Amino acid sequence: MDSKQAISTLNFVAGKWENAESGEIRRFNPANLHELVATAPDSSARTAARAIEGVTRAADGWRSLTAPERGKIVLRAARILETRKEEVAQLITWEQGKVIAESRAEVTRAINIMEYAAGMGRRLGGSTLPSEADGVFAYTTRLPIGTVALISPWNFPVAIPCWKIAPAFVCGCPIVLKPSPFTPACATRIVEIFLEAGVPPEAISLVHGGPAVGEQLVDHPMVAGISFTGSTKVGTGIHASAARRLAKTQLEMGGKNPQVVLRDADIDQAVEGCIVGALDVSGQRCTCTSRVIVEEAVADAFTARFVARMAAIRVGPGHLAEVDMGPLVDRTRAEQVAAFVDRARGDGANVLVGGAPPAGLEQGCFYAPTVIDNIDPRLEIAREEVFGPVVGVIRVNDFQQALQVANSVDYGLSASIYTRDIARIFSFVQRIEAGMIHVNRPTLGGYSHFPFGGLKHSSHGPREIGDDTIGFYTGLRSVYINHE
Ligand code: NAD
């Protein structure tokens, strides 16, 4: 951002940009809390209800757009985002804090996913199946479920809204987006881009705010489905509320992702994988590595090299080219990370590097890359999502124990193994309880046409990204036509 002028964002309700009736959210740069980035309406449940009712009422008006036409609009949005890539990446870094290379990668991922979703407009088919009776033609076809609430987090403030809005619109669902209050400006840019591309203004709403808005979206009888990305705690509550009125849910939630390192692994490759896996977005990716499970035979060698690399990471404001890792998103989140590490110390864990905010960066929400050695898999630090640049090393005797420890938590999002043993690789893939599995790669990263999500407490409902998401935004119907 050249001028560093704070951005004043608005709600988009019933086809118009409007201010809140009440409070205001103020978002500061997490690398420098003296700098105001954006203001946004702290909307009420009443505004959320007007938004829901507005898009639901108007749906008949634009439903004559065919799925290929809707796909073309989404493709146009992808092209516009491409032309504004650098500006949007700079905004992500300013508002969310991640380093600029990560912001650019996020925008590229959003574009790729939108391109794929646009193509769904020509693939939204059912199937023609053999009839049981002569004279009957039978096939399946899909119908949009109706108004959907899209509730998004702050760690991918552009890509996640895009990967929800694009398939929802292509499938024909009216949309209400509620972004995280930490990233109102990024969400606003995205809605502007979809509108500029030709999404009918009455098909989409944007309502800024916190839990009051989210709860209204979940409880309102006109909302047919809720696509939520965020913590397992909030997602579980949403699911319970939605279940009372049988609304559909698509929930992408937390992780406690293991990287297993076996004795035959390429140790340098495993260390680099763990650096990327642990520190991307300052450890604030749902797929970040937070447990490294190492065979005792190579644990000292791995840990020594890993600690040296973590200690050399350059932490600072994300817009600086020489910085490897940016701040955490907010002061409260940085304090939560510090509290996790302090409790681990209290439990007797051994902090080898980090374990505190780095010196000289007090104006922002920074926390040093942290390695905790030899943790007991039963400890909180080994079981709960920290969501910061903190890795616990768990030493195990063999592959079987590594697998047992890896599977011993409630989460099941992503997992990785470093080994050259083909039998172990297949055994791991077969038995690891995770939705995304990487071999000799970090726990994070996924393709823009592959399903994204986990097992156990990490996900619920049809996967996001890729074709599976169609199963959330549409209902499948069977049709029997007697033509005798
Ligand atoms: P969060 O659960 O605090 O908030 C997510 C969203 O839910 C925000 O928009 C928030 O305002 C809203 N919300 C909060 N309370 C609500 C309520 N009672 N009813 C309805 N909405 C409510 O999560 P966060 O801190 O924004 O994001 C971090 C979490 O997201 C981590 O747990 C991370 O693992 C997870 N995440 C998961 C994925 C995935 O695809 N699995 C991707 C990114 C982030």
Side-chain angles (χ1 to χ4, degrees):
M1 305 306 297
D2 294 336
S3 63
K4 293 292 180 192
Q5 185 80 36
I7 299 166
S8 169
T9 72
L10 300 172
N11 287 330
F12 190 72
V13 176
K16 290 196 188 68
W17 293 101
E18 62 171 47
N19 221 324
E21 324 102 337
S22 48
E24 185 182 68
I25 294 165
R26 288 163 72 75
R27 173 64 184 159
F28 293 88
N29 177 354
N32 177 2
L33 291 170
H34 302 300
E35 197 173 86
L36 183 67
V37 174
T39 59
D42 190 4
S43 312
S44 64
R46 207 149 40 98
T47 304
R50 278 200 300 115
I52 296 161
E53 288 152 21
V55 292
T56 308
R57 263 198 311 272
D60 284 346
W62 58 269
R63 278 249 175 84
S64 57
L65 281 175
T66 63
E69 285 168 336
R70 296 195 298 267
K72 274 196 177 148
I73 292 172
V74 168
L75 193 57
R76 249 190 330 264
R79 293 287 81 86
I80 295 170
L81 183 55
E82 202 159 43
T83 61
R84 297 178 64 176
K85 184 172 171 182
E86 186 57 24
E87 169 216 325
V88 174
Q90 296 287 346
L91 178 60
I92 295 173
T93 292
W94 194 29
E95 186 174 58
Q96 194 278 335
K98 64 180 71 175
V99 297
I100 189 66
E102 293 169 351
S103 297
R104 291 183 183 125
E106 174 174 350
V107 182
T108 300
R109 182 154 165 74
I111 293 165
N112 292 343
I113 292 171
M114 287 157 79
E115 283 175 355
Y116 188 80
M120 285 176 189
R122 294 191 178 272
R123 293 195 307 274
L124 265 186
S127 41
T128 307
L129 298 165
S131 175
E132 283 187 6
D134 194 25
V136 173
F137 178 67
Y139 64 101
T140 63
T141 179
R142 295 188 171 275
L143 192 71
I145 59 171
T147 298
V148 288
L150 311 179
I151 301 179
S152 58
W154 43 264
N155 63 341
F156 282 82
V158 163
I160 292 180
C162 286
W163 82 48
K164 292 182 189 294
I165 295 172
F169 179 61
V170 169
C171 288
C173 296
I175 297 154
V176 182
L177 172 68
K178 193 212 87 62
S180 166
F182 290 153
T183 49
C186 287
T188 304
R189 279 295 171 277
I190 291 310
V191 170
E192 286 168 358
I193 286 171
F194 275 101
L195 289 169
E196 187 186 334
V199 170
E202 59 279 18
I204 186 167
S205 270
L206 168 67
V207 184
H208 296 285
V213 173
E215 283 163 16
Q216 176 65 274
L217 295 179
V218 174
D219 291 339
H220 198 290
M222 285 183 185
V223 173
I226 301 113
S227 179
F228 166 84
T229 303
S231 62
T232 297
K233 183 165 176 256
V234 172
T236 306
I238 286 176
H239 186 61
S241 300
R244 282 200 287 273
R245 57 181 190 87
L246 295 182
K248 254 175 136 173
T249 55
Q250 177 183 53
L251 310 171
E252 289 303 339
M253 302 175 285
K256 188 72 192 171
N257 311 296
Q259 174 180 312
V260 172
V261 181
L262 297 186
R263 64 184 72 207
D264 70 324
D266 176 331
I267 297 296
D268 288 330
Q269 189 189 35
V271 167
E272 287 314 306
C274 205
I275 292 286
V276 173
L279 300 185
D280 209 73
V281 194
S282 310
Q284 301 167 113
R285 277 178 83 153
C286 54
T287 48
C288 269
T289 309
S290 59
R291 300 179 289 157
V292 58
I293 302 170
V294 195
E295 269 198 278
E296 189 65 69
V298 289
D300 285 342
F302 173 88
T303 307
R305 277 186 243 179
F306 183 47
V307 165
R309 282 286 285 115
M310 290 284 268
I313 294 297
R314 295 161 303 181
V315 181
H319 67 277
L320 299 177
E322 66 273 20
V323 160
D324 301 315
M325 193 186 91
L328 296 176
V329 73
D330 180 66
R331 184 72 87 195
T332 55
R333 301 301 173 110
E335 285 166 3
Q336 281 169 16
V337 170
F340 261 111
V341 175
D342 289 346
R343 286 195 297 274
R345 278 195 182 98
D347 286 336
N350 182 17
V351 177
L352 295 180
V353 66
L361 291 169
E362 291 74 17
Q363 79 284 9
C365 314
F366 294 94
Y367 198 81
T370 298
V371 181
I372 307 179
D373 195 17
N374 214 357
I375 58 173
D376 183 324
R378 292 166 300 187
L379 292 182
E380 177 199 54
I381 197 78
R383 312 189 65 77
E384 297 301 329
E385 186 181 47
V386 176
F387 228 51
V390 177
V391 180
V393 178
I394 303 175
R395 294 162 183 250
V396 291
N397 295 326
D398 55 24
F399 172 68
Q400 295 306 331
Q401 194 186 1
L403 197 57
Q404 181 268 319
V405 169
N407 284 338
S408 68
V409 298
D410 290 335
Y411 297 103
L413 191 55
S414 170
S416 144
I417 187 167
Y418 281 77
T419 177
R420 286 172 275 208
D421 182 331
I422 191 73
R424 295 274 192 255
I425 289 171
F426 276 92
S427 181
F428 183 78
V429 171
Q430 183 76 23
R431 294 160 64 195
I432 187 74
E433 294 165 359
M436 292 172 285
I437 303 162
H438 298 271
V439 176
N440 296 319
R441 286 167 49 91
T443 52
L444 43 79
Y447 293 156
S448 303
H449 54 294
F450 267 57
F452 188 92
L455 307 179
K456 295 158 82 175
H457 291 190
S458 291
S459 296
H460 185 86
R463 288 279 185 270
E464 292 206 87
I465 312 181
D467 288 336
D468 281 17
T469 199
I470 294 171
F472 173 70
Y473 293 108
T474 64
L476 191 60
R477 302 171 308 154
S478 299
V479 184
Y480 306 91
I481 297 176
N482 180 359
H483 53 83
E484 284 293 277

